Amino acid sequence: ELSYDREYPNAANIYRLYRQADTPDGRMVDSTCPAGTRDALKGKFPGVVDVVSYMRPRWVLSTEGKKFSQVVATASPSIFDIFSIELIRGDRETALSSLTNIVITAELAEKFFGDEDPIGKTIQVETWYNAVVTGVMKKLPDRTTVHDFDAVVNIDLLGPLWGRDMSDMKVGNYMSYMLTEPGADMNSIRASIAGIFQPFFPEETMNGLMIELAPHPLLRERLHDMEGGGLITYVYTFSIVGVIILLIACFNYMNLSTARSRKRAIEVGIRRVVGADKRQLARQFFGEALVMSSVAALMAVALTLALLPWFNRIVGKELALSMDIRTVLLFAAVTLVTGILSGTYPAIILSAFEPATVLKSRAADRVRGAWFRRALVVTQFTISIFLVIGSLVIYRQLDYIKNKDLGFRTTNVIEFQLSSNIRKQYDSFRQILLDHPGISGVTRTNAPPVYRESSTGGDNITWEGKDPGDLVSDFGLMGTDTGFLQVFRPEIVTGRFFSDEFPSDMKSGAVI
């Protein structure tokens, strides 16, 4: 987790751009920006080198009888420079110079064209237009935030294609990243770019709602939330649990070693009689602990390599044990520290036996530090009990999340995206599905019920009797049709849902 995004040469100077505002309900943070953000920033503020805005729709791409549904990044051409995306073929400077150009990944090039040179070939995008392949990207690193797409087209295409205003500063759901100059004063940049939205929201500004642009370091984006916390909490938690389990193993080794002191006492006494001093004995016991730790480490590596594919399948991750020099050195250091830590107490206790006492067989009955061993045992079992309780609590919480009634039906509901062809003939497509005996309902939405694709606020939201001082800063919207009630079965508290009996519902109706 800590290695994410560090493969970018510019990583330390890349910032994700957020919108935020302090409202009566608390701070609102929006992870998307309007389309005009890049033009408002690039070349306008000292220290700002470039900005990329992009979104990732899923489109149907087809050519030569082959058709695939792929994630296509609609992005400004600066995406190649900011994220150091290497082109195997084509020129990154001109690859997106035309709105009909497309850059594809090496994997997609192989799917479509096999061993042929894809440059200059044509790919049909949905039913909208034919794109010309002008570049092939090298496989994007998995441990990066910006990698989950199969092709790139120029974001300005959305203007003529979808009728979007690409200079709009109020509406838009684009992910945006900013590249700064190395060593630039970020405090100064933050202050200078914070207010770029305010001229476009005069009513909100007048009412004290300051919508600001807030940069967040790319190297913190995955694990650290803007307001603190985030996935880093789990990284720390799992790391601490790992260290605790390792300490339990060390305590266990100490206890077992000292518990066997009666058997080792004669050996220690004889070695002392023939001339061994305390340091030599201590080195022996440290050596034994280090050998045990090394054997355990090798077994751990073998078990990890054998079980990791199964573990990844269970937790839905793609973890890999990469034995690079950094990992090997870290692993060796942990092994060494574990051996020294677990061998310290036995070495001190066992090497301190006196020969005369040992040979009278009284040493094992008078081992010093018995209170310490008892403390270790109590600590070991206390930690184990807490870990077991913690595991049970987490299991109950996950089970609660999994089975909690969300207010709408989720079982037996299948979600998929519609191609542009089917969207044009949706009514016929829906009827074909409903005629199938195994299908009881069909609906379409602009996003799943648990995800807000669209939102608005400010002066766009009014109602009868609204007080001029009332301000809704974040109003989530979802578009759907009359089939939503049949598929998801939400509970209607009052009134009714959209109905085919009232055609006006789809033009002027709303359910809140």
Side-chain angles (χ1 to χ4, degrees), residues 124-328:
Q124 183 175 349
V125 179
E126 293 280 352
T127 57
W128 303 327
Y129 72 101
N130 289 324
V132 178
V133 178
T134 54
V136 178
M137 295 178 287
K138 185 178 179 181
K139 178 176 170 56
L140 302 173
D142 291 329
R143 288 189 300 230
T144 53
T145 303
V146 181
H147 78 277
D148 191 16
F149 49 82
D150 308 295
V152 183
V153 298
N154 196 316
I155 194 173
D156 291 330
L157 173 75
L158 299 182
L161 189 64
W162 290 349
R164 294 200 173 186
D165 180 4
M166 302 312 292
S167 63
D168 190 281
M169 286 293 283
K170 296 186 70 173
V171 181
N173 55 339
Y174 303 91
M175 293 174 281
S176 297
Y177 291 86
M178 175 180 68
L179 176 65
T180 64
E181 294 176 354
D185 183 357
M186 273 309 298
N187 291 329
S188 175
I189 293 177
R190 287 177 193 275
S192 60
I193 68 175
I196 66 169
F197 298 126
Q198 291 172 17
F200 303 93
F201 294 89
E203 181 180 338
E204 287 83 348
T205 303
M206 186 172 60
N207 288 329
L209 182 67
M210 312 298 286
I211 301 176
E212 296 183 334
L213 184 66
H216 189 55
L218 175 67
L219 292 179
R220 293 177 61 85
E221 182 187 352
R222 178 176 175 80
L223 299 178
H224 300 265
D225 291 345
M226 287 281 289
E227 299 300 305
L231 293 178
I232 191 65
T233 304
Y234 300 100
V235 174
Y236 290 152
T237 301
F238 283 119
S239 300
I240 291 170
V241 169
V243 170
I244 288 174
I245 292 173
L246 194 58
L247 285 175
I248 290 176
C250 292
F251 294 165
N252 203 42
Y253 181 83
M254 294 180 195
N255 286 326
L256 290 174
S257 297
T258 51
R260 293 176 64 244
S261 58
R262 180 184 296 274
K263 295 183 178 180
R264 301 298 299 270
I266 301 298
E267 174 196 343
V268 171
I270 293 174
R271 290 175 63 84
R272 290 292 301 275
V273 167
V274 298
D277 57 25
K278 290 183 178 181
R279 284 180 296 181
Q280 289 175 316
L281 291 171
R283 282 198 295 269
Q284 175 192 341
F285 294 120
F286 272 125
E288 291 176 1
L290 286 171
V291 168
M292 186 71 73
S293 178
S294 300
V295 171
L298 293 174
M299 291 177 65
V301 171
L303 284 170
T304 301
L305 292 173
L307 298 177
L308 198 54
W310 298 90
F311 181 80
N312 284 338
R313 199 174 304 170
I314 292 171
V315 301
K317 284 284 188 180
E318 294 182 6
L319 303 179
L321 183 61
S322 54
M323 299 304 289
D324 52 68
I325 186 64
R326 179 183 172 188
T327 305
V328 171

Side-chain angles (χ1 to χ4, degrees), residues 305-490:
L305 292 173
L307 298 177
L308 198 54
W310 298 90
F311 181 80
N312 284 338
R313 199 174 304 170
I314 292 171
V315 301
K317 284 284 188 180
E318 294 182 6
L319 303 179
L321 183 61
S322 54
M323 299 304 289
D324 52 68
I325 186 64
R326 179 183 172 188
T327 305
V328 171
L329 290 176
L330 179 62
F331 200 64
V334 172
T335 303
L336 181 64
V337 170
T338 302
I340 293 174
L341 180 63
S342 58
T344 299
Y345 182 62
I348 293 173
I349 295 298
L350 297 178
S351 63
F353 287 163
E354 295 297 333
T357 308
V358 166
L359 296 178
K360 292 179 182 178
S361 301
R362 291 200 302 246
D365 299 323
R366 298 169 56 189
V367 174
R368 292 177 295 169
W371 64 271
F372 185 64
R373 293 205 319 279
R374 296 191 190 102
L376 288 180
V377 172
V378 172
T379 303
Q380 179 180 336
F381 278 94
T382 301
I383 294 174
S384 300
I385 290 168
F386 271 109
L387 288 177
V388 170
I389 293 172
S391 299
L392 291 174
V393 170
I394 291 172
Y395 171 78
R396 293 284 301 275
Q397 286 290 83
L398 292 175
D399 184 66
Y400 174 77
I401 292 171
K402 187 176 179 180
N403 298 305
K404 168 68 175 160
D405 181 9
L406 301 178
F408 60 92
R409 185 173 67 171
T410 58
T411 55
N412 299 333
V413 177
I414 298 174
E415 174 206 350
F416 56 93
Q417 268 194 310
L418 301 179
S419 67
S420 57
N421 267 341
I422 295 179
R423 280 199 292 269
K424 292 176 183 177
Q425 307 172 70
Y426 173 71
D427 290 336
S428 300
F429 174 69
R430 178 172 183 261
Q431 191 56 50
I432 291 172
L433 292 179
L434 289 175
D435 290 341
H436 192 285
I439 297 175
S440 61
V442 177
T443 188
R444 60 175 170 175
T445 65
N446 68 329
V450 294
Y451 177 74
R452 292 195 315 167
E453 172 71 22
S454 305
S455 65
T456 185
D459 55 2
N460 291 327
I461 303 299
T462 59
W463 57 89
E464 294 178 23
K466 178 184 177 183
D467 189 287
D470 289 338
L471 188 67
V472 177
S473 57
D474 190 25
F475 191 84
L477 302 168
M478 183 178 71
T480 186
D481 60 16
T482 58
F484 186 90
L485 183 64
Q486 192 175 15
V487 172
F488 292 106
R489 299 180 183 176

